[in-house]
Structures are given as C-alpha cells and as structure tokens.
C-alpha cells in the first residue's frame, strides 16, 4: 500500500488536473526510474529477512503479502507494465514471488475470467 500511496502522491495520472502534461511526464519518469526502484529494493531486503522459501514472502505457502507483491508487479495497467517490470528488474525475490502467484491456477483462472475494466 505504501508504494501505491507514494505513486499517487507523485500525481502523474491522467486524472490529475493541476499539472501540465509535461510535469506529469517528468514526475512519472522520476517515479519509475528512481522512486519505485528504491522502494522495491527496500521491500526486497525486508522480504529476504522474513522468507524461508524464495517463492514466498513468509512461510512455505502463499499469503496476502505474496498476492500484494504480484498485484504490484504484474497486475498493473498495460501502460505501466513495462516500466514496472524495469523498475523491479533488480528484485529477484520479488519477481520470483510474483511469478509464483501468477502460476497459481486460481489466479490464472481469475485473470482469464474477470470482467474487462479500464482500471
């Protein structure tokens, strides 16, 4: 949640009204190139301390934390997916967790059946 809150505070979405397109583009680039990678690396370090299995943040089975990591890294808008992937490229453990959740049959089923949405 802290990561999404920080992104929202950068205010670069198309719904932001008090910034020019240039300001939004600058802030978006700063978010994906600097701020988000720094936050993800901190999360990566914390997960390394709590994990006993490289595919899970805690324990040996999926938890809400794993799903939150997957949602952050893989279930974002199509417009943000490439930049998010690049921001997380140094976070091997977070990516392993996201991949593990993505391979879960229940998650795969939900992704294929969920209604289309602009969000």
């Amino acid at each position: 949640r802290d990561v999404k809150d920080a992104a929202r505070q950068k205010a670069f979405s198309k719904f932001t009204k008090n910034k020019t397109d240039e300001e939004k583009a600058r802030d978006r680039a700063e978010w994906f190139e600097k701020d988000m990678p720094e936050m993800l690396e901190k999360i990566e370090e914390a997960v390394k301390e709590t994990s006993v299995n490289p595919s899970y943040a805690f324990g040996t089975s999926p938890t809400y934390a794993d799903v939150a990591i997957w949602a952050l890294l893989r279930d974002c808008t199509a417009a943000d997916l490439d930049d998010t992937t690049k921001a997380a490229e140094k976070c091997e453990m977070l990516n392993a967790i996201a991949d593990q959740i993505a391979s879960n049959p229940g998650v795969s089923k939900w992704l294929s059946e969920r209604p289309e949405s602009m969000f």
Side-chain angles (χ1 to χ4, degrees), residues 11 13-20 23-24:
S13 87
K14 63 183 173 183
F15 299 108
T16 301
K17 302 293 184 200
N18 62 343
K19 289 185 176 182
T20 65
E23 289 171 320
K24 288 188 234 181

Side-chain angles (χ1 to χ4, degrees), residues 5 7 13 15-17 20 22 28 30-31 34 40-41 43 47 51 58 80 83 92 98 100 108 110 112 115-117:
D5 286 347
S13 87
F15 299 108
T16 301
K17 302 293 184 200
T20 65
E22 293 79 18
R28 184 182 189 286
E30 182 178 27
W31 170 253
K34 179 184 176 290
L40 292 176
E41 288 174 22
I43 295 169
V47 168
S51 177
F58 303 97
D80 291 343
D83 291 325
E92 293 179 22
Q100 177 69 19
S108 298
W110 165 246
S112 68
E116 291 284 328
S117 170

Side-chain angles (χ1 to χ4, degrees), residues 52-53 55-64 66 100-101:
V52 296
N53 179 318
S55 295
Y56 302 110
F58 303 97
T60 57
S61 60
T63 65
Y64 183 74
D66 301 314
Q100 177 69 19
I101 296 301

